[in-house]
């Protein structure tokens, strides 16, 4: 017996929906670390903050590693057995994070958390997509839901750390995972999704090479500034190791009958343009590091107040999701929706450029963060929709892991590392420029300490302002690109179709079934990220 649902037939439909939403509310925000907690983890363990930035990247890498094999795992195990086991494993991993003081353990645990999180996420989204039907409307609802959850989870993690300690939040998440495992064991059916398939076709060595490629890359991004980039042999060796691992990964795929990864989709026009727009989105998302420097380093906010800033993005997130639902329901072209997303991110950057002053008020954050929330959500929905449009299931499943890591880790990590380096260089340059005005008349020995602090803060502001200026210039170029791109508008072509009696009907039916399943899988993967 096969059952494509999740729960027993005797469970009412509203209760099934409630159980799905409940497990999503816990699993979707899960991560090896939470960015607002990093300062508390550094203080509690005495380790460098770069280790926990590395662990944050590791969760994303684990999710990307799981994506090419989720369908095989889904068809190999019974629903209840798999979900219960994975939830218990997530609870154990969170408990390990709460009780260890070794950053290496947290990094390894973060990879596994990301891997398990993706396995659970796929199971949750398929039945919900069947309820909503329209792919774009599904994106609008669930991206808004997931992004709001992420902001709330980040804030609660900091609040619990302030009230108790940073370990307590991991303990709470661990308990929730165990409780959910018990609930799912009671209500989930004990049947297979479809025909049982073996696991021995999975190439585990390719998964290991995939993880090593991006983990070495994450080390470069996380420790680059601390190790002084190319002046460090560790950074050079990690970069070489990442390149060699990727070369071995690509070479191995050419010799496998069932390759773990495929690079065929990267020749598609919409995929390449979509990856470029995701790169542009990564540039805007990486401004979070500059925003944190301004909020904490210049304005003097504590970690809880800084985390509360992210909650200001929620109205923009909800608005973008609502617009997406109506936009895709009316089947309007994507161009102007994507344009509105980039325009909102550009507006956020322009406001921050002019807001780099010591007198910046807390109330002034509402508008820029509203725009940032709207732009982020609109682009997550529309660009991912466009990138994975009209892809065959086999090609898409074999390459979506790379696309997901590109969107969530490589682009943001690359620009975060670049902005960190430029911020340091521009700050030194600003101090040099300000030193022209420093002499015995302007900075006397009696007030040297107070003046030097002001000079340092102004140097930070000048460096941040310069980076936002370059981002604004690039943003106008991105808007021009969006306006001139065709976004899949088909040119008029003549096609000759040969119809064979009987066989054409069966072929069209099979194509529809494959297309429906491929859209469900890639939609679920996109929303999970």
């Amino acid at each position: 017996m096969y059952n494509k649902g999740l729960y027993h037939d005797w469970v009412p439909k509203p209760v099934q929906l409630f159980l799905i939403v409940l497990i999503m509310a816990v699993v979707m925000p899960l991560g090896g670390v939470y960015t607002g907690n990093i300062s508390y983890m550094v203080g509690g363990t005495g380790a460098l903050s770069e280790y926990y930035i590395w662990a944050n990247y590791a969760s994303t890498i684990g999710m990307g590693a799981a994506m090419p094999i989720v369908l095989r795992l889904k068809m190999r195990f019974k629903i209840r057995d798999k979900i219960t086991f994975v939830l218990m494993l997530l609870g154990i991993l969170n408990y390990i994070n709460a009780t260890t003081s070794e950053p290496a353990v947290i990094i390894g645990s973060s990879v596994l958390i990301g891997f398990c999180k993706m396995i659970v996420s796929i199971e949750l989204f398929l039945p919900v997509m069947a309820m909503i039907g329209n792919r774009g409307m599904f994106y609008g609802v669930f991206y808004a839901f997931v992004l709001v959850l992420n902001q709330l989870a980040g804030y609660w993690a900091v609040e619990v750390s302030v009230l108790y300690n940073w370990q307590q939040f991991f303990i709470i998440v661990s308990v929730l995972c165990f409780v959910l495992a018990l609930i799912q064991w009671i209500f989930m059916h004990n049947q297979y999704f479809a025909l049982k398939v073996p696991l021995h076709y999975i190439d585990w060595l390719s998964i290991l090479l995939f993880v090593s490629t991006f983990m070495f890359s994450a080390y470069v991004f996380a420790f680059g500034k601390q190790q002084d980039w190319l002046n460090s042999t560790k950074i050079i060796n990690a970069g070489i190791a990442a390149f060699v691992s990727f070369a071995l990964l690509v070479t191995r795929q050419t010799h496998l009958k069932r390759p773990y990864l495929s690079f065929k989709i990267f020749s598609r026009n919409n995929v390449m343009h979509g990856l470029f727009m995701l790169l542009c989105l990564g540039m805007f998302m990486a401004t979070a590091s500059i925003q944190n420097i301004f909020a904490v380093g210049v304005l003097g906010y504590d970690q809880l107040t800084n985390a509360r800033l992210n909650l200001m993005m929620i109205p923009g997130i909800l608005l973008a999701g609502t617009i997406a639902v109506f936009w895709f329901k009316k089947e309007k072209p994507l161009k102007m929706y994507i344009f509105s997303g980039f325009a909102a991110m550009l507006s956020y950057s322009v406001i921050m450029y002019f807001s780099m002053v010591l007198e910046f008020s807390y109330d002034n954050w509402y508008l820029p963060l509203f725009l940032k929330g709207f732009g982020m959500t609109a682009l997550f929905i529309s660009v991912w929709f466009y990138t994975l449009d009209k892809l065959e299931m086999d090609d898409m499943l074999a390459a979506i892991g790379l696309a997901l890591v590109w969107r969530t880790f490589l682009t943001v990590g690359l620009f975060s590392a670049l902005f960190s380096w430029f911020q340091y260089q521009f700050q030194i340059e600003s101090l040099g420029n300000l030193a022209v005005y420093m002499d015995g008349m302007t900075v006397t020995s009696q007030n040297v300490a107070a003046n030097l602090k002001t000079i340092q803060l102004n140097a930070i502001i000048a460096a941040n302002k310069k980076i936002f200026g370059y981002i604004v210039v690039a943003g106008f170029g991105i808007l021009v690109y969006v306006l001139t791109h065709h976004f899949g508008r088909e040119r008029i072509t003549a096609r000759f179709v040969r119809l064979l009696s009987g066989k054409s009907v069966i072929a069209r039916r099979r194509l529809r079934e494959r297309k429906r399943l491929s859209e469900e899988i890639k939609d679920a993967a996109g929303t999970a990220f």
Side-chain angles (χ1 to χ4, degrees), residues 115-291:
F115 194 91
C116 296
K117 174 181 172 180
M118 179 57 76
I119 294 173
V120 176
S121 300
I122 292 297
E123 297 289 351
L124 301 176
F125 290 124
L126 294 181
V128 179
M129 280 186 292
M131 300 178 195
I132 297 178
N134 184 287
R135 178 185 164 202
M137 293 172 63
F138 168 78
Y139 271 25
V141 172
F142 275 93
Y143 265 116
F145 177 73
V146 170
L147 290 173
V148 168
L149 277 180
N150 287 339
Q151 311 313 316
L152 292 174
Y155 173 76
W156 288 332
V158 177
E159 187 170 30
V160 171
S161 299
V162 172
L163 295 175
Y164 304 101
N165 52 58
W166 65 269
Q167 294 99 330
Q168 195 66 36
F169 188 75
F170 287 107
I171 295 292
I172 293 173
V173 173
S174 178
V175 172
L176 288 175
C177 288
F178 288 129
V179 171
L180 282 177
L182 177 61
I183 294 174
Q184 303 308 315
W185 178 263
I186 295 172
F187 291 100
M188 278 188 168
H189 66 72
N190 196 29
Q191 298 173 356
Y192 287 98
F193 171 78
L195 182 66
K196 184 179 177 181
V197 298
L199 288 182
H200 63 263
Y201 293 135
I202 297 175
D203 185 53
W204 298 101
L205 180 57
S206 292
I207 296 177
L208 182 62
L209 290 172
F210 180 95
V211 172
S212 65
T213 296
F214 294 108
M215 285 300 288
F216 281 122
S217 302
Y219 178 86
V220 174
F221 294 155
F223 284 87
K225 181 180 177 181
Q226 190 264 343
Q227 295 284 336
D228 197 17
W229 295 101
L230 296 181
N231 292 321
S232 168
T233 55
K234 291 183 179 180
I235 295 297
I236 294 174
N237 292 337
I240 294 172
F243 177 79
V244 172
S245 298
F246 187 70
L248 292 174
L249 177 65
V250 173
T251 303
R252 183 166 179 79
Q253 305 317 300
T254 61
H255 296 86
L256 291 175
K257 183 179 180 181
R258 297 176 180 85
Y260 169 72
L261 292 177
S262 173
F263 303 93
K264 290 173 60 177
I265 69 167
F266 297 106
S267 62
R268 296 283 298 268
N269 183 270
N270 64 301
V271 174
M272 296 307 297
H273 283 281
L275 292 178
F276 173 74
M277 285 186 282
L278 291 175
L279 178 68
C280 299
L281 173 60
M283 178 189 71
F284 286 113
M285 294 298 296
T287 57
S289 60
I290 306 301
Q291 177 185 310

Side-chain angles (χ1 to χ4, degrees), residues 3-53:
N3 190 331
K4 297 185 183 299
L6 292 179
Y7 299 98
H8 289 292
D9 294 335
W10 52 266
V11 181
K13 297 297 182 182
V15 176
Q16 293 187 25
L17 181 60
F18 171 76
L19 292 173
I20 292 174
V21 172
L22 181 64
I23 191 173
M24 284 174 55
V26 175
V27 172
M28 293 311 301
L30 277 183
V33 297
Y34 301 89
T35 53
N37 264 5
I38 289 179
S39 61
Y40 299 104
M41 298 176 75
V42 170
T45 62
L48 294 172
S49 61
E50 284 78 8
Y51 283 109
Y52 301 110
I53 296 173

Side-chain angles (χ1 to χ4, degrees), residues 76-88 181 184-185 188-192:
R76 172 60 180 82
F77 299 103
K78 294 180 179 179
I79 298 293
R80 186 177 69 180
D81 296 343
K82 181 175 64 176
I83 294 296
T84 304
F85 174 77
V86 173
L87 284 172
M88 292 181 65
Q184 303 308 315
W185 178 263
M188 278 188 168
H189 66 72
N190 196 29
Q191 298 173 356
Y192 287 98

